[in-house]
């Protein structure tokens, strides 16, 4: 998608996206990076017949960019904004201003209660030196906690969005192992799309080549994840992606390829092994602890900057009371004092920022510890119920088709 007046051909691409959604008639469409409410309202008007039920999630300075368009009535909606989302002083990245979040809509699908989530995590600007890795891990943890605690009464669960993580990245494994969500790309019966399911490819007019280094062919960072319940299991019958250029159009819909999944609703559900959950949460705790140490070091530097500026501030104050023979003019002393005040204020603001981040990292690490202890109890306690399947289970029959697009 894009930001009006900053992204290329923004108006024309929203027109194309509206035409595509009207034509394809998906049950639910989940969009990210709809940064302007004006663009959302345009799509809402254009899709009023095909997708009469909509919700736009608002957060941050410019908004979360998350929007839902549905053929089914939206019964309820909930937004959770991630605690960590980059730094306000990193203007060239801008994630902090976007208010990255996860949105939930509850819809009725053929009498079944569907919890549908849409999210967008912090971008990875450098694979080799990812300064936001701990932030994205915290976001993954908060996302899985949000899904776990809000999907208990759901018959089926779908999560779609730009996770900005490769399939085997820690945050991705953490999310899947602790929610039971399954990746449609690895589960689907039929796939039609870019090689290896890539959603950011070189053969796209809007793709910046530096974003793919060192993966020149492309990367898979956009996902549709699914999970059923004791009542219903979801099966992904087909998954497809757009493939860069659009026929009869001079440019693609977006810099990311769109995902479309078609589901069948079935009758059984498997659970993930507790040992796998323990391994991945332990790895996540170690990474969050590392991020905590790095942030504490940054806070210490901010504190040193603050104290250093305070000491320097005493210098012009002392020089101001020296005899007139002092060669420094009052204008020079005033300039030196102003510089010291700026450094002092900058140090104080950075100290507050990093202190807030430390609290979030510590809270996440504490929650992970509780989860790890609970899993350890399950692993060493009684035999887990439901770990083996019974013979003579009823034949699996599909209930109804269900399609959605990211």
């Amino acid at each position: 998608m894009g930001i009006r007046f900053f992204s290329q051909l923004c108006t024309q691409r929203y027109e194309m996206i509206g035409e595509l959604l009207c034509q394809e008639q998906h049950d639910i469409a989940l969009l990210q990076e709809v940064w302007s409410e004006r663009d959302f309202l345009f799509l809402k008007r254009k899709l009023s017949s095909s997708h009469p039920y909509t919700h736009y999630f608002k957060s941050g300075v410019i908004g979360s960019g998350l929007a839902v368009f549905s053929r089914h009535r939206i019964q309820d909606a909930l937004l959770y904004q991630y605690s960590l989302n980059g730094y306000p002083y990193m203007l060239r990245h801008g994630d902090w201003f976007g208010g990255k979040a996860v949105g939930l809509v509850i819809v009725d699908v053929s009498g079944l209660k569907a919890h549908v989530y849409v999210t967008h995590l912090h971008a990875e600007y450098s694979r080799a030196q990812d300064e936001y890795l701990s932030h994205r891990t915290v976001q993954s943890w908060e996302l899985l906690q949000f899904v776990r605690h809000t999907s208990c009464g759901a018959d089926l669960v779908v999560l779609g969005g730009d996770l900005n993580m490769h399939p085997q990245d820690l945050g991705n494994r953490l999310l899947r192992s602790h929610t039971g969500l399954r990746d449609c790309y690895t589960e689907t019966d039929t796939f039609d799309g870019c090689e290896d399911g890539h959603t950011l490819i070189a053969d796209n007019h809007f793709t910046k080549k530096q974003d793919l280094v060192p993966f020149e062919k492309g990367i898979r960072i956009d996902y549709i994840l699914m999970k059923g319940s004791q009542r219903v299991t979801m099966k992904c019958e087909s998954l497809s992606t757009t493939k860069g250029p659009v026929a009869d159009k001079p440019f693609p819909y977006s810099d990311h390829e769109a995902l479309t999944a078609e589901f069948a609703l079935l009758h059984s559900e498997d659970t993930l092994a507790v040992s796998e959950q323990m391994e991945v949460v332990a790895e996540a705790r170690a990474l969050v602890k590392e991020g905590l140490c790095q942030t504490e070091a940054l806070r210490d530097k901010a504190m040193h900057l603050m104290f250093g500026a305070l000491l320097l501030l005493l210098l012009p104050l002392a020089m101001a009371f020296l005899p007139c023979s002092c060669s420094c003019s009052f204008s020079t002393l005033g300039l030196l004092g102003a510089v010291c005040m700026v450094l002092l204020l900058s140090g104080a603001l950075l100290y507050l920022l990093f202190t807030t981040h430390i609290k979030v990292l510590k809270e996440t690490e504490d929650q992970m510890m509780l989860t790890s202890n609970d899993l350890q109890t399950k692993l060493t306690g009684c035999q887990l119920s439901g770990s083996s399947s019974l013979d003579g289970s009823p034949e699996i029959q599909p209930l109804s088709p269900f399609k959605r697009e990211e």
Side-chain angles (χ1 to χ4, degrees):
M1 309 296 283
I3 303 176
R4 186 176 290 271
F5 307 120
F6 288 93
S7 300
Q8 301 177 50
L9 305 167
C10 201
T11 302
Q12 297 91 323
R13 289 192 286 130
Y14 274 111
E15 183 73 37
M16 290 168 54
I17 290 169
E19 292 173 359
L20 175 67
L21 295 178
C22 284
Q23 176 183 348
E24 295 295 329
Q25 295 285 314
H26 301 287
D27 287 85
I28 298 177
L30 306 178
L31 303 182
Q32 304 89 51
E33 297 193 13
V34 185
W35 299 118
S36 168
E37 190 166 0
R38 178 180 172 183
D39 292 324
F40 166 74
L41 293 175
F42 165 78
L43 290 174
K44 182 178 180 179
R45 289 191 298 269
K46 192 171 184 66
L47 303 176
S48 58
S49 297
S50 61
H51 297 81
Y53 307 105
T54 66
H55 192 81
Y56 185 58
F57 293 98
K58 306 176 183 70
S59 72
V61 178
I62 63 174
S64 69
L66 306 177
V68 178
F69 298 87
S70 174
R71 291 172 54 193
H72 307 275
R73 181 180 296 276
I74 296 176
Q75 300 174 334
D76 203 354
L78 182 63
L79 175 72
Y80 177 79
Q81 185 174 338
Y82 297 123
S83 301
L84 294 182
N85 188 44
Y87 307 103
Y89 56 81
M90 295 296 287
L91 299 177
R92 64 191 180 92
H93 292 162
D95 292 70
W96 184 87
F97 296 93
K100 298 292 180 65
V102 52
L104 160 66
V105 294
I106 300 175
V107 298
D108 182 278
V109 180
S110 302
L112 298 174
K113 191 175 184 180
H115 285 212
V116 182
Y117 300 84
V118 58
T119 191
H120 188 185
L121 272 59
H122 198 294
E124 178 187 80
Y125 293 98
S126 171
R127 189 70 175 174
Q129 296 179 333
D130 187 2
E131 57 188 317
Y132 302 111
L133 181 58
S134 60
H135 286 215
R136 200 161 46 253
T137 303
V138 168
Q139 290 180 347
S140 299
W141 179 258
E142 292 180 343
L143 173 59
L144 78 86
Q145 291 285 61
F146 184 77
V147 171
R148 284 179 56 206
H149 292 294
T150 58
S151 64
C152 296
D155 293 314
L156 52 101
V157 177
V158 174
L159 186 151
D162 180 3
L163 300 185
N164 275 310
M165 295 184 291
H166 295 230
Q168 292 306 313
D169 282 356
L170 175 59
N172 209 328
R173 291 184 285 118
L174 189 69
L175 173 63
R176 296 197 308 269
S177 66
H178 283 266
T179 60
L181 290 166
R182 308 195 311 277
D183 187 352
C184 287
Y185 176 74
T186 60
E187 297 275 337
T188 187
D189 292 337
T190 305
F191 176 72
D192 178 26
C194 301
E195 181 182 355
D196 296 326
H198 294 155
T199 57
L200 199 62
I201 62 174
D203 190 20
N204 185 301
H205 175 79
F206 300 113
T207 300
K208 298 177 182 178
K209 299 301 182 286
Q210 61 266 29
D211 292 342
L212 298 179
V213 177
F215 307 96
E216 284 76 13
K217 291 185 177 180
I219 53 178
R220 184 161 77 95
I221 56 176
D222 302 272
Y223 300 84
I224 299 175
L225 307 178
M226 63 179 183
K227 183 180 75 167
S229 62
Q230 292 183 345
R231 181 181 175 190
V232 177
T233 291
M234 299 183 71
K235 178 183 179 183
C236 183
E237 291 194 327
S238 67
L239 180 71
S240 62
T241 75
T242 52
K243 302 175 183 178
V246 181
D248 303 323
K249 300 291 184 181
F251 42 80
Y253 299 105
S254 173
D255 59 333
H256 289 225
E257 303 307 316
L259 288 168
T260 302
E262 184 169 355
F263 301 116
L265 308 182
L266 312 171
H267 285 285
S268 86
E269 182 78 359
D270 295 325
T271 57
L272 292 173
V274 175
S275 58
E276 180 184 350
Q277 294 178 338
M278 285 191 60
E279 290 175 2
V280 72
V281 77
E283 189 176 349
R285 279 187 66 193
L287 192 147
V288 170
K289 284 182 177 180
E290 181 181 348
L292 178 61
C293 292
Q294 293 172 352
T295 307
E296 286 175 338
L298 290 173
R299 184 185 62 178
D300 291 342
K301 290 180 180 179
M303 185 169 60
H304 294 155
L305 174 63
M306 190 166 48
F307 282 119
L310 187 60
L311 290 174
L312 284 175
L313 186 60
L314 297 176
L315 180 61
L317 291 176
M319 294 176 66
F321 292 99
L322 288 176
C324 296
S325 58
C326 178
S327 60
C328 293
S329 66
F330 282 103
S331 59
T332 303
L333 294 176
L335 178 61
L336 182 57
V339 171
C340 292
M341 286 299 298
V342 170
L343 291 175
L344 179 62
L345 181 60
S346 299
L349 290 176
L350 289 173
Y351 181 84
L352 292 175
L353 175 66
F354 294 134
T355 298
T356 303
H357 287 187
I358 287 170
K359 288 182 178 179
V360 174
L361 289 164
K362 285 183 176 179
E363 173 63 21
T364 304
E365 200 267 333
D366 288 344
Q367 292 179 16
M368 289 179 173
M369 182 178 64
L370 289 174
T371 300
S372 181
N373 292 339
D374 180 61
L375 291 172
Q376 182 65 41
T377 301
K378 289 180 180 179
L379 190 64
T380 57
C382 300
Q383 181 178 0
L384 293 174
S385 61
S387 59
S388 59
S389 60
L390 300 176
D391 294 334
S393 58
E395 182 181 357
I396 295 177
Q397 296 293 336
L399 297 177
S400 63
F402 176 52
K403 294 197 299 181
R404 48 93 47 217
E405 179 191 30
E406 180 200 332

